[in-house]
Amino acid sequence: MPESMSFSLTQLNISLLIPMSISLLGGIVLLGVGVFNKIKSRDLYITIALLFVIVNLGFLILEANPLFAPGFFGMLLVDGISLLAQIIMLITTLILLLFFMRQNAFDETQNAEFYALLLFALVGFSFMVSSQNLILILLGLETASLSIYALIALHNKQVAFEASIKYFVMGALATAFYAFGAMLLYATTGSVNLVSIAKFLLQHNYEPSILVFAGFTFLIAAFGFKISMVPFHTWVPDVYEGSNSLLAAFIAIVPKIAAFSVIISVFSIFLKSHSPFVEYTLYTLVVLSITLPNLIALAQKDVKRMFAYSSISHSGFVLAAILIGTQEAFSIVFLYWILFLFANLGAFGILWLSADSKYNHSFKSFSGMIKTNSTLAIFLSLFMFALAGIPPFSVFWGKMYLILEALSADYIFLALVMVANSTIAGFYYLKLVVYIFAKDSNGIGDYQPPLELSSKVAIGICAIMSVGCMFMVQNLLDIISYYLKIY
């Protein structure tokens, strides 16, 4: 065989598949246990899921260095961006599973299929963030999305079915946009590999091309659906409302960090062209995504829907870092999302824990909560301070570093928009705190269920990170920057 035709299994770098394989095996084991175990045990299912998540997380942390090499003919690459995204997704799932261990009356959480689908979603997102190929990114995205559609529908309520269908329709539309955008890029460059596309555009000095700009437009619409960017955000409030609180938290964090990781790789190619069309389009969408949801959140009477709109605004902040486009800004993408995830998980976890107290999710239902359930009231208020970006709590540091980076890159107007919207966000987050402390109790939630150890651990992790991040934020940023240098 000629040397040019020689092939070795080592060229595939099969170790790249280990993180995905661990989650996939976990999902298969859960399905098998659910089928063959006659006695359904929710605690057993959660324990199995926790075991595989911890093993996967440990592998990524301990065996990271050997993974930094392309495999499968350049289609897969577990680089710094991929590694950070997968670690964030696994930490999120780990904390959510600790919350799920609390006894509850939701039928979907009693079955093995629910936790298997969570792991299958992780498999899809892991492939998505570890790919350099537009086709494989799409396959990973669709694998994860199909799992989430099913997870929402398992809630088995009218609003859940409506939310699942709306998410499915919007997801199908996003897929169509993505496929058409990828096709246009392939027609222009002759490749679906991101590295090859970047090299082609560089060789041609990023000459203006209608097909390239059209491909960019379709791709930004496709990813806009996934990160709930304005004007592609309309599905978010209904999906949050139709899901249980912890699944809503999963949807708010995991799919978005996966999408942001891909956006960094894809949009960096176009931003390097310094095209006014690309920059002004992203600039406009960033400003709209930060501002419009904030204004809508002010008028919300339901806490879950308020969280939905606020998460859209947080996505706008992160997208602003990608628009700035510096290496430091890319580090802030992950720093911001890490700080956001703990405060967000804590807030949604409180909604989950208070459900047994017969709370609904209206602001009025939390009136006087400090008297009826003081522990949850104090922690929920803490997470509101963190999400509002009040110093020295977690999200404040993400916003501060981002605003400083915007100023250093001469995005003065963008920095002013972020400052103004941070002030607006304080009003609707602190509105809930006012209800908790200053309003009279309406008699809802007089029963105060004891917190189980798993719930205490989950809340403790979120609270420690939301408060103690001031002592570790620079270390976090240094670690993130170290991994991104490999990218």
Side-chain angles (χ1 to χ4, degrees):
M1 181 179 295
E3 184 178 350
S4 60
M5 297 292 291
S6 63
F7 171 75
S8 170
L9 285 177
T10 56
Q11 294 175 311
L12 295 179
N13 198 2
I14 295 177
S15 62
L16 294 177
L17 294 177
I18 294 178
M20 301 81 160
S21 300
I22 293 173
S23 296
L24 179 62
L25 178 61
I28 294 172
V29 169
L30 279 167
L31 291 178
V33 171
V35 170
F36 296 107
N37 187 22
K38 295 181 180 180
I39 302 175
K40 290 186 177 181
S41 173
R42 181 181 57 86
D43 291 340
L44 174 62
Y45 304 147
I46 295 175
T47 302
I48 294 173
L50 271 173
L51 176 63
F52 280 95
V53 168
I54 292 172
V55 170
N56 200 346
L57 187 60
F59 174 81
L60 286 173
I61 293 174
L62 298 176
E63 299 295 331
N65 290 334
L67 298 178
F68 292 111
F72 290 87
F73 309 103
M75 290 192 296
L76 285 180
L77 175 63
V78 180
D79 58 3
I81 290 177
S82 172
L83 183 69
L84 289 169
Q86 290 187 74
I87 289 174
I88 290 173
M89 292 188 290
L90 289 168
I91 290 174
T92 300
T93 308
L94 176 63
I95 295 174
L96 289 176
L97 288 172
L98 291 175
F99 276 119
F100 273 121
M101 293 188 78
R102 180 175 175 80
Q103 295 294 333
N104 64 82
F106 294 112
D107 292 337
E108 72 269 22
T109 65
Q110 313 301 318
N111 300 315
E113 294 84 357
F114 184 86
Y115 306 100
L117 286 169
L118 276 179
L119 294 184
F120 290 149
L122 288 178
V123 174
F125 287 129
S126 295
F127 269 110
M128 179 179 168
V129 301
S130 301
S131 178
Q132 296 287 299
N133 185 286
L134 290 173
I135 295 175
L136 195 56
I137 290 173
L138 178 61
L139 291 176
L141 178 61
E142 288 308 296
T143 300
S145 297
L146 289 172
S147 300
I148 294 177
Y149 302 150
L151 283 168
I152 297 171
L154 284 175
H155 200 37
N156 200 27
K157 292 183 179 179
Q158 183 68 25
V159 289
F161 289 130
E162 291 177 4
S164 181
I165 292 172
K166 178 172 284 191
Y167 195 18
F168 172 77
V169 172
M170 292 297 185
L173 187 60
T175 300
F177 281 144
Y178 181 95
F180 199 72
M183 181 193 70
L184 291 175
L185 288 179
Y186 176 76
T188 306
T189 65
S191 176
V192 290
N193 185 282
L194 293 178
V195 176
S196 299
I197 292 173
K199 287 181 179 178
F200 178 90
L201 296 177
L202 180 62
Q203 289 171 357
H204 291 77
N205 297 318
Y206 295 97
E207 293 179 359
S209 168
I210 295 177
L211 288 181
V212 171
F213 289 145
F216 165 77
T217 303
F218 278 104
L219 286 180
I220 200 171
F223 287 116
F225 281 108
K226 297 305 177 183
I227 64 172
S228 62
M229 178 178 64
V230 174
F232 312 106
H233 66 289
T234 53
W235 58 270
V236 179
D238 293 331
V239 168
Y240 277 43
E241 193 173 27
S243 309
N244 68 60
S245 297
L246 295 184
L247 181 56
F250 183 87
I251 295 171
I253 297 170
V254 173
K256 291 185 179 181
I257 190 58
F260 281 128
S261 300
V262 176
I263 286 173
I264 289 174
S265 301
V266 175
F267 286 4
S268 294
I269 298 172
F270 297 101
L271 287 171
K272 288 176 182 177
S273 69
H274 300 292
S275 163
F277 171 77
V278 172
E279 292 186 357
Y280 288 140
T281 300
L282 273 179
Y283 207 134
T284 302
L285 293 174
V286 165
V287 172
L288 288 175
S289 298
I290 293 174
T291 306
L292 184 62
N294 254 350
L295 297 176
I296 298 175
L298 284 171
Q300 297 304 306
K301 298 180 180 179
D302 183 273
V303 174
K304 244 185 176 182
R305 294 183 73 88
M306 181 269 283
F307 283 159
Y309 284 108
S310 70
S311 73
I312 299 170
S313 183
H314 285 292
S315 296
F317 275 89
V318 176
L319 190 62
I322 296 174
L323 168 66
I324 295 169
T326 62
Q327 195 71 17
E328 292 77 13
F330 291 157
S331 298
I332 294 170
V333 169
F334 293 96
L335 175 69
Y336 191 106
W337 214 246
I338 289 170
L339 299 175
F340 168 73
L341 81 85
F342 288 105
N344 198 57
L345 286 177
F348 275 105
I350 300 294
L351 294 187
W352 170 266
L353 297 174
S354 64
D356 288 340
S357 305
K358 300 182 180 178
Y359 283 106
N360 55 45
H361 298 122
S362 68
F363 278 91
K364 291 182 179 179
S365 67
F366 290 88
S367 298
M369 185 183 180
I370 188 62
K371 298 177 182 177
T372 59
N373 201 329
S374 57
T375 302
L376 294 185
I378 292 171
F379 278 112
L380 182 56
S381 300
L382 185 154
F383 295 130
M384 291 302 100
F385 286 130
L387 287 170
I390 295 175
F393 300 104
S394 57
V395 177
F396 163 76
W397 299 100
K399 290 185 176 180
M400 185 191 73
Y401 277 101
L402 181 55
I403 292 170
L404 290 175
E405 188 62 28
L407 290 173
S408 66
D410 292 329
Y411 285 91
I412 309 299
F413 177 73
L414 180 60
L416 292 174
V417 168
M418 288 190 283
V419 171
N421 279 278
S422 297
T423 305
I424 294 172
F427 283 97
Y428 57 76
Y429 281 123
L430 297 182
K431 176 183 174 182
L432 181 58
V433 178
V434 171
Y435 272 91
I436 291 172
F437 284 90
K439 300 286 186 178
D440 293 330
S441 175
N442 54 16
I444 300 177
D446 290 337
Y447 166 66
Q448 183 173 348
L451 290 178
E452 299 172 354
L453 178 60
S454 58
S455 300
K456 292 179 181 178
V457 171
I459 292 178
I461 293 172
C462 295
I464 289 171
M465 289 300 298
S466 296
V467 178
C469 62
M470 70 182 85
F471 303 109
M472 62 184 80
V473 65
Q474 188 57 52
N475 291 331
L476 271 175
L477 194 56
D478 291 340
I479 293 171
I480 293 169
S481 300
Y482 167 75
Y483 280 114
L484 292 190
K485 285 178 182 176
I486 303 172
Y487 161 74

